[in-house]
């Protein structure tokens, strides 16, 4: 791709971090039943790019990171279909929320794995990633995502929220 491995890694990590950051903004929107269209587009695009660029690293066989990337792309396809083709109507609302948050979770999961592999202080706590600190971190992350995901599915009703916002505006004019 014309980049050194180090530069490509930096680009991949930057895209991943933008995906995670924007994903948490989208999650906040879901929890408050708001549509952040720009942030949603940034989240979906960067999360897709994160998965795709992961396949460009040198490798000789299929790795766990590739499997996570494949799962993420399948989940993101569902999110795109639910949001942009089916417009989140009916069951497509919870399909969008669930698939988008699963994609965000996968990004965070990988970030935790990479942090334990690359940061000396975390690597010392869990050199094989089978030690309690790593397990506690991953169980904590999945628990938070399950709780926030359940709340988001219940709370995310963007059309209803838009209706209420327009009604409040028109009521205040009376």
């Amino acid at each position: 791709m014309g980049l050194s491995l180090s530069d490509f890694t930096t680009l991949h990590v930057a895209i991943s971090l933008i995906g995670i950051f924007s994903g948490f903004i989208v999650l906040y929107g879901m929890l408050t039943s708001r549509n952040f269209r720009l942030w949603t587009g940034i989240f979906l695009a960067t999360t897709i790019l994160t998965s795709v660029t992961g396949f460009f690293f040198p490798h000789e066989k299929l790795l766990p990171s590739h499997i996570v990337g494949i799962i993420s792309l399948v989940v993101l396809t569902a999110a795109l279909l639910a949001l942009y083709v089916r417009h989140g109507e009916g069951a497509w609302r919870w399909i969008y929320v669930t698939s988008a948050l699963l994609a965000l979770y996968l990004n965070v999961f990988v970030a935790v794995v990479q942090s334990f592999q690359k940061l000396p202080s975390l690597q010392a706590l869990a050199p094989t990633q089978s030690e309690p600190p790593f397990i506690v971190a991953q169980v904590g992350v999945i628990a938070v995502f399950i709780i926030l995901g359940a709340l988001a599915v219940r709370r995310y009703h963007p059309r209803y929220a838009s209706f209420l916002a327009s009604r409040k505006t028109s009521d205040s004019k009376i």
Side-chain angles (χ1 to χ4, degrees):
M1 292 187 67
L3 295 173
S4 69
L5 183 58
S6 175
D7 289 344
F8 183 72
T9 301
T10 300
L11 176 65
H12 176 76
V13 170
I15 293 168
S16 300
L17 292 175
I18 293 167
I20 291 170
F21 177 78
S22 60
F24 279 111
I25 293 171
V26 171
L27 172 58
Y28 172 76
M30 290 175 180
L31 291 171
T32 58
S33 200
R34 289 189 250 173
N35 260 338
F36 297 136
R37 293 177 197 269
L38 177 65
W39 286 109
T40 300
I42 292 168
F43 163 64
L44 293 171
T46 54
T47 305
I48 290 167
L49 277 172
T50 296
S51 294
V52 170
T53 57
F55 292 104
F56 289 99
F57 286 99
H59 62 281
E60 295 178 16
K61 62 180 181 164
L62 185 68
L63 301 171
S65 59
H66 297 125
I67 294 168
V68 171
I70 291 166
I71 293 168
S72 182
L73 289 170
V74 169
V75 165
L76 286 160
T77 300
L80 292 168
L81 175 67
L83 183 62
Y84 294 116
V85 176
R86 305 304 299 186
H87 308 290
E89 295 174 357
W92 291 101
R93 178 190 58 81
W94 70 261
I95 292 169
Y96 162 65
V97 171
T98 304
S99 57
L101 293 184
L102 181 53
L104 177 59
Y105 164 74
L106 290 172
N107 247 1
V108 172
F109 170 84
V110 170
V112 171
V113 169
Q114 290 295 314
S115 295
F116 273 91
Q117 286 179 350
K118 308 292 185 204
L119 299 175
S121 58
L122 292 177
Q123 191 178 33
L125 291 173
T128 67
Q129 295 187 354
S130 60
E131 293 80 10
F134 178 79
I135 294 166
V136 168
Q138 290 293 21
V139 168
V141 167
I142 198 165
V144 166
F145 269 89
I146 289 170
I147 292 166
L148 292 176
L151 287 171
V153 166
R154 292 186 68 180
R155 293 181 179 178
Y156 185 65
H157 298 278
R159 285 196 171 161
Y160 182 69
S162 300
F163 169 75
L164 289 178
S166 67
R167 186 170 172 101
K168 285 180 184 177
T169 305
S170 62
D171 287 348
S172 65
K173 292 179 184 176
I174 297 175

